[in-house]
Amino acid sequence: MERLKSAVPVDLRRAVGEGTTRDLPSTTSLLLSFLDGLPLFHQVISELTDPELALCRKDKERAVELKGQGNACFSRREFEQALGFYSQALRHLPISSDGTDEILLATLYVNRASTMHKLGLLEECLRDCDRAISVSPNYAKAWYRRGMVNASLKNYSSSMHDLEVALSMEVTSSGKSNIEHELKLILLKHQNVNEVGRSSSDCNDAELPQTAEPCKVVLECVSTPNKGRGMTSPNDISPASLIHVEDPLAAIILKSRRDTHCHYCFNEAPADAVFCPLCTIPVYCSKKCQVQAVGGISWNQDTCLRSKSNGVDLGKLSLTSTRRKDPNSKQIAEHRHECGGAHWAAVLPADIVLAGRVMAQYIDRKMLTGKSSAISGPNLDLIHHYDIDSPTSKLESHIYAIVLLLCLQKYYSSDLSWEEETLSELVLLICQVKVNSIAIVRMKSMDEGQRLTENKGNSAAGDAVMCSVEQVRVAQAIYMSGSLFNHSCRPNVHTYFHSRTLFLRSTEYIESGSSIELSYGPQAGEMDLLARQQSLQENYKFSCRCSSCSELHLSDLVIDSFCCPQKTCLGAISELTYYRSKENCVHVSLKESDVCKLSLPHASEVDEDTEKVGKLLFRNDVDLKIDPGYCMSCRSQLDLASAIATSDRAASRINRFKELTVIDEVSEVPVTDALRSLEQIKKLRHPYSKALAQAEDMVAEAFAKIGDQEQARKHCEASIEILEKLYHPKHIAIAHELTKLVSIELSLGDMASSRATFLRAEEIFSLYYGPDVQRILPYVDALKRTVTGRFIRAP
Ligand SMILES: C[S@@+](CC[C@H](N)C(=O)[O-])C[C@H]1O[C@@H](n2cnc3c(N)ncnc32)[C@H](O)[C@@H]1O
């Protein structure tokens, strides 16, 4: 792309960069004729669409080599590594029309199944056995392995059936006697034990029924004074109400999650992941997700040609298309449009692929209606900021629009013709995607939370099972109605996802007619003003005008601040300049450049804390200026540079202490050192600052790990107290911290406190997730079972 961009002559680049929306028809057609005459451009398109040139093409030799490496690891009992090699072999193995590779495919499934059996991944093993049997029904080893794993799962009748089938197929006498021996053992077990009866299914929880909870809130899209359109409701909305549920128009996995998460439902991929039949990029958690993303595969014997190399000319494969289905069909088969063995989406940025997916759907639907007119852009009713985009970004959107259209044309071949405006519309679609796409996130329960879930709540007093969670971005998606909600750094609705479905829930009482706003990422209490503004500008191209960014709030004064050297003063010392102007506003700037302008609350509405932290700001002196390093309450001065350096060094020593506890290498020295570092941070950082909350939290986690639960409790409580100043008391960040405290109290055997703390956390979780807590945060449910004492410690 860089080479293409730099090949564009200066005058054309200028015309594109300086052009507005109205100039798009001329700038796109000028660029198209330039690129058409450029050999480099045709080379790029071939690389993106020709299966013979694609980097992601399947390769049987590579698959065989990987299988060999897997076998070598298996015989050395290096099962984790063997699993990785077998999965990679499956990823690279081409599919064939004449069945020549079926045995290789079935062998790979059985080898991976055997490895997973060794690793105790029984359900995964069973699913791979099913796959091997469906590929090659006469493969004795597949039946044998399924018989063995069914026995491990205590499905004795199924196990005996499978082993009997294996016995009937086995040709060697040693093999037969081995199976007979196993059959006898299983018969004995079957007579003594009640059957549990489980079955495998090649599906994932993306297919579980959606919540039965009705979504009764009426939403209206209205015009707002300074944020364009926005959402509101004609009715009052009570807290924890389900406001909106929506499936995406299109979605794409992030590059960083490509190998770890399913490319369709975006859940973490299991050990028995399946792959795209045509290219080596996508990973799916189940056959079901694979089919939804790729469409079914069938063979067109007339057009299927042998290629020069070992496989088949994948370009000639035909995919059973969802294309001729009902125009309202929800099935998108979005990867199908991009993959004929050359997965162009693997190379292009996420925004561009999303635009391509939206366009492909639009084309499909248009073709279904039978109209043979040329294709135009989908013309979505979404905002874009093309006119204020940078010249570089405009040029990129132009080039990508042309590349996209040619890639799509390759897929649709002769079925697709377009009008002159189509390219302009595609440029705007790319800009709409940039402004409106939403990040799909998952709550990842770290380390011990996972153990708690796996134990189904069997952890009990004595075990320090800490639940910490991290929000991870896994995908990017376009939700048509979801895109109409504006951002607030202090949102009144919470966004979460199940599979690829978006859920919005009110976290507070919302009066009829008030704005309903979610957070695009940055939140007050979590990030300072500057970071929030920068992030929104960078990612969404707007200066935030939400209430948190237009009024002075305590959390922004304290979040990154230092404390006043005067012991009795609660005043905050910041790195920013605060300048009070005539209109009762405070201008906040960093190194002379304005961050934002905040209106001051009326003196009668200022709470005690805010008043103490920034006393000077509430005096009536106009032209008051508080420079970096000066107390906002009494003007005492602090050597800011040295305070920052000392506090950062202390924080990294605490971090090191926490890391040492993970690898069990803690001696008396690091403990004392960590406590001394915490004292240093306390002396320098403001008592309500985020740095101090984080330090307390790290120390709490470290003490919990080394078994000093009294210390852990003290520091965890201190961290919660600060979070309550930074956020409002019912913020989800506090609920997560409370669950850590529950774990600590459980470890101390203080059941009464753990129950009370859990109730506080549960109240917040229900506000944010309603009845969905269980499926979004399974460890919270496990923790509940522990604190309510419904489960006792496993023997
Ligand atoms: C996803 S759209 C939201 C709907 C949009 N207001 C519309 O009219 O279609 C995002 C755009 O809305 C505007 N917007 C959303 N939240 C805002 C905020 N807090 N401050 C200023 N503008 C905002 C910005 O123009 C932003 O690029």
Side-chain angles (χ1 to χ4, degrees), residues 227 229 385 435-436 483 486-487 520 540 542-545:
K227 300 176 197 158
R229 292 169 300 173
H385 296 310
V435 175
N436 292 282
S483 293
N486 285 323
H487 162 87
Y520 294 180
Y540 297 94
F542 70 89
S543 307
C544 185
R545 314 270 289 271

Side-chain angles (χ1 to χ4, degrees), residues 405-534:
L405 205 54
L406 292 184
C407 287
L408 286 168
Q409 200 182 26
K410 176 93 181 172
Y411 170 72
Y412 289 99
S413 57
S414 54
D415 289 353
L416 187 69
S417 67
W418 72 78
E419 290 159 355
E420 218 174 305
E421 308 88 69
T422 312
L423 267 179
S424 316
E425 287 160 346
L426 203 42
V427 170
L428 293 184
L429 174 62
I430 290 172
C431 297
Q432 286 172 322
V433 167
K434 281 187 187 158
V435 175
N436 292 282
S437 69
I438 294 180
I440 297 183
V441 297
R442 288 282 181 272
M443 299 307 297
K444 185 173 161 58
S445 98
M446 311 295 286
D447 46 59
E448 312 283 337
Q450 191 62 35
R451 181 150 70 91
L452 191 61
T453 319
E454 279 158 13
N455 291 344
K456 307 274 187 281
N458 284 349
S459 162
D463 276 1
V465 179
M466 286 288 259
C467 307
S468 48
V469 285
E470 190 195 11
Q471 204 179 49
V472 291
R473 291 166 80 110
V474 289
Q476 202 71 17
I478 288 283
Y479 296 89
M480 286 306 290
S481 304
S483 293
L484 294 171
F485 288 84
N486 285 323
H487 162 87
S488 170
C489 293
R490 197 191 182 289
N492 50 14
V493 294
H494 175 60
T495 313
Y496 58 93
F497 301 85
H498 187 250
S499 179
R500 34 167 71 206
T501 309
L502 166 78
F503 290 81
L504 298 181
R505 192 176 290 279
S506 58
T507 52
E508 58 191 61
Y509 171 77
I510 306 174
E511 207 179 319
S512 64
S514 321
S515 298
I516 305 176
E517 294 176 331
L518 47 87
S519 163
Y520 294 180
Q523 288 207 28
E526 197 171 277
M527 279 184 181
D528 63 23
L529 264 173
L530 180 68
R532 296 198 314 258
Q533 290 286 348
Q534 274 175 344

